[in-house]
Amino acid sequence: MGLPALEGRLKEDLAFLCYPGKAWVPKREGVTDVVIIGGGMCGMVAWFGLATGGIRNVRVLDRAETGREGPWLSYARMETLRSPKMLTGPAFGHGALTFQAWYRAQFGAAAWEALDKIPRPMWMEYLQWYRTVLEVPVENGISVDHVEPEGDLLRLTVTGAETPTILTRKLIFATGRDGTGGPNIPDFIKNLPGHLWAHSADEIDFTRLAGKRVAVIGVGASAVDNAAEALEHGAAEVRHLIRRKEMPTINKMMGIGSFGFTAGFADLPDEWRWRFMQYSFATQTPPPHGSTLRVSRHDNAYFHFGKATTRVDPQGDGAIIHFADGTFYEADFVILGTGFVIDPMARREFGKTAGDILLWQDVYTPPEDEQSGDLGRFPYLNPDFTFREKQPGTAPWLANVYCFNYGASASLGKVSGDIPGISEGAAWLSRAVAAELYAEDIEAHWEGMQAYDTPELRGDEWEATPLEIQPEPQKGRVA
């Protein structure tokens, strides 16, 4: 039908649903009601949820330039998305806002049926269209450097904006995979000069790896995608150095995905939430089928299992990598496919106060066979996505900060970062924010109710009729 027709259909559908919702939050001079950090998929659908609910005084900030929000055109290097193409993603219940509708409008039903997986750059094109058609007011080139309480508000220190600080009532971290931590940099790499290694989340000039021996530590999705990039740019050889003895092959979370899991996970006891997440971590999500073939089709690609790296040292113009089994490998460049670590202390926005955030390791002690240091560092969130303070009374302002990113998954499930459950998460989040804003302004709403004086009846819709009083009938005597 073409994009103009699809956009017309979407706007009509939204109008039928009275979008955007009626504005109801009392204004505060110089104060933003909600600031969202992150203008990618999570940030935009969070904004859409708030706008649908009538919360209008919202700012969406992203440090990236326009069109490069999120990982899709930076460190995400897979050819296609892992998620099935028919998932509704950030559509928030609107069929005309899905990737499928966007794709079919341009290329037709036959092309859609023939499509296997969504090409990664095309997903970014879709998200850019999503931003445009909904008029999401993302402010690019703005970085939030610090957050601190100021009375019942939050003051954000920012760079790139017209003013150096922003006052807000609520703050949402819609910051994706590394949103409550950062890249996982193992200690074994600390002796290697920076020009000899990179993390898979870094900007990497793969042309410099032509003719080089490249070691990729890890075998997750990002590790495999970076290995493929190195091979396709002419690396002499690429060797996956894998701690595990066998390749992970089953995505356990894929087997239990359902609306029930999405809706019910957060209400499970701690031991069950921990058990699900720890098992997922322990079994590890395998790299996608296509991504793995993208590597293995090269004759100069190698997968080495049982190679736990213990130390990496500089040697000449390259590196020597030592393994726990006593062997070693010499490489010209090392890529860490070691994923991300959840650690609020690594986020500069919180500063030292990150130590006030309650973590899972502060709350729950797992059985011996379910230990996980990584999982223990996840924040232990309230049911409304807000952070909890480690010691009651020390940082009550954390209740105004919402973790709508990967860091929420241990507490609330897969509803704030991955494509399958993102719309359900945004609906959940927007209701929680609305409830808090309403409760905080309850006096103003009570006064507004009392002051409301717009009549629905004008007085000419009826005519009063007098009722004549009749004498009460006498009761007869019964013989």
Side-chain angles (χ1 to χ4, degrees), residues 33 38 40 52-53 90 115 122 131 176 215 272 279 298 367 373 391 416 434 462 470 474:
D33 290 328
T52 299
L115 181 69
M122 183 174 282
R131 169 179 174 171
W272 274 112
Y279 185 65
H298 293 269
Q391 296 296 330
S416 57
W462 75 94
Q470 301 294 328
Q474 295 294 319

Side-chain angles (χ1 to χ4, degrees), residues 318-337:
I320 182 168
I321 305 169
H322 300 270
F323 306 112
D325 63 2
T327 60
F328 63 88
Y329 171 65
E330 297 179 14
D332 299 310
F333 194 78
V334 178
I335 297 176
L336 298 177

